[in-house]
Amino acid sequence: MRDTAPTMASSMRGWAVTAMLVALMVINFADKAVLGLAATPIRKEFGLTAGEYGAIASAFYLLFSLSAVIVGFVSNRVRTTWIMAALAVLWSLTALPVLLAASVPALYVSRIALGAAEGPTAPMAVHAVQKWFPERSRSVPTALINMGGALGLAIAAPTLVYFIGNHGWRSAFAVLAVAGLVWVVLWAFVGREGPLDTYDAALHGAVGPDARAEPHVSYRRLFLNGTWFGTLTAGIGAYWALALSVAWLPTYLEDSLGYTAAEAGRLVVVPNIAGAAALLAAPWITGRWMRRGATGRIARGVTGGLLVITAGACMLALPFAGGSVAVLLMTLSFGLPTAVFPLNYLIGAQVVPVRRRGSVLSTSTALVTLAGVVAPAVTGRIIDAAPSATAGFEVAFTLCAGLLIVGGLVGLLTVNPEREARSFGLTG
């Protein structure tokens, strides 16, 4: 007889693992954002142009995607708990080049190494959590993992700005390195592998011997279908906006809107708080909607597409607004798109067998995050070529808006997880 009721101890362990992985994502995103928060003193110290700084910011993503793919396939054979610990140790060590000999080459080495260590983190964290929760109850845990990233800047920005302003920009890198190592120690006591390791178990919560064996689905079919392509295009638009905000939003607030560094450090938190709310609300609402009979196509595909399109429309208007209206448009432009990430992970869980899920989610994430390689550097070149920083940001925001609108529209029209799950033989 199928065991569909996880024990209380198992449920508590699942939520403990989720809490630890949310904390890891907070540190993860703070590591991404620290360069943007320290952009002004770093550029002044090393005499960097906007294009040169943008190239350093983009360097973070050079190995980000490749490492995500490699680790994703490794996760088919290695426990995700071990993978998460190894990644956290590695990215903590990447601060050493900056701390030991701060220079432009050291910044490049540090950011490239950090990107390689952090590339697999988000898909691996989601994969780890989804082994603890069946389909009917995985929306909130998946959302919380992604919300940890958005909260990373909201929680860390004031602290990092304090250290940068009072102890120099290098101190912020040191604080984050220590935080990563402390997390690893705690993870050794909390981290465990989840029991739901087949599609049938993950769908129904069954962990007994009667759980149906997974059908074999080729990678070609998993990657060449409308649903995967739709999540990919919507995700690329959203990630371009994310990479743009991490690298350039503090500078935009200072140079174009006239805020001080301290004010920019506070205001840059606002889109991340909005993003955190969207990250939690969208999966929770769509999950309830699906439990009442809605399809994943409508609840997750159409909703995600509309959120990305709305963000693109707001970004088109952003360069022409000022004051509180500009802050509102900025919040919607950079806050709304992030909600598509947990929705895409949930869509992936609907259509990918568990034993190939880590590799598929990581490969999809790798392709989406390639936008991060391009967005900061392209934005820097646009600003350098423009007659003023304000004019440059206008062009950069228009480009990002186009990617958001096109990506959201494609996702809205093509995502249909129920169709793919039936064609793969995962559901009847």
Side-chain angles (χ1 to χ4, degrees), residues 392-414:
F393 278 114
E394 180 179 336
V395 175
F397 288 159
T398 301
L399 172 61
C400 184
L403 292 172
L404 286 167
I405 292 170
V406 171
L409 184 61
V410 172
L412 185 151
L413 294 175
T414 61

Side-chain angles (χ1 to χ4, degrees), residues 102-120:
S103 63
V104 171
L107 283 170
Y108 271 109
V109 170
S110 177
R111 298 307 285 182
I112 292 171
L114 179 65
E118 291 197 353

Side-chain angles (χ1 to χ4, degrees), residues 72 86 163 227 277:
F163 277 97
T227 295

Side-chain angles (χ1 to χ4, degrees), residues 323-421:
S324 58
V325 175
V327 173
L328 174 61
L329 290 173
M330 177 188 74
T331 300
L332 296 174
S333 298
F334 295 109
L336 289 180
T338 56
V340 82
F341 299 135
L343 293 179
N344 284 353
Y345 283 132
L346 290 166
I347 290 166
Q350 282 188 265
V351 301
V352 181
V354 175
R355 291 175 184 172
R356 291 198 166 181
R357 189 173 296 160
S359 53
V360 171
L361 291 182
S362 293
T363 302
S364 300
T365 300
L367 293 173
V368 165
T369 54
L370 283 174
V373 178
V374 183
V378 167
T379 301
R381 290 184 176 273
I382 289 172
I383 293 170
D384 278 342
S388 67
T390 300
F393 278 114
E394 180 179 336
V395 175
F397 288 159
T398 301
L399 172 61
C400 184
L403 292 172
L404 286 167
I405 292 170
V406 171
L409 184 61
V410 172
L412 185 151
L413 294 175
T414 61
V415 170
N416 191 335
E418 286 80 14
R419 177 191 62 206
E420 303 341 325

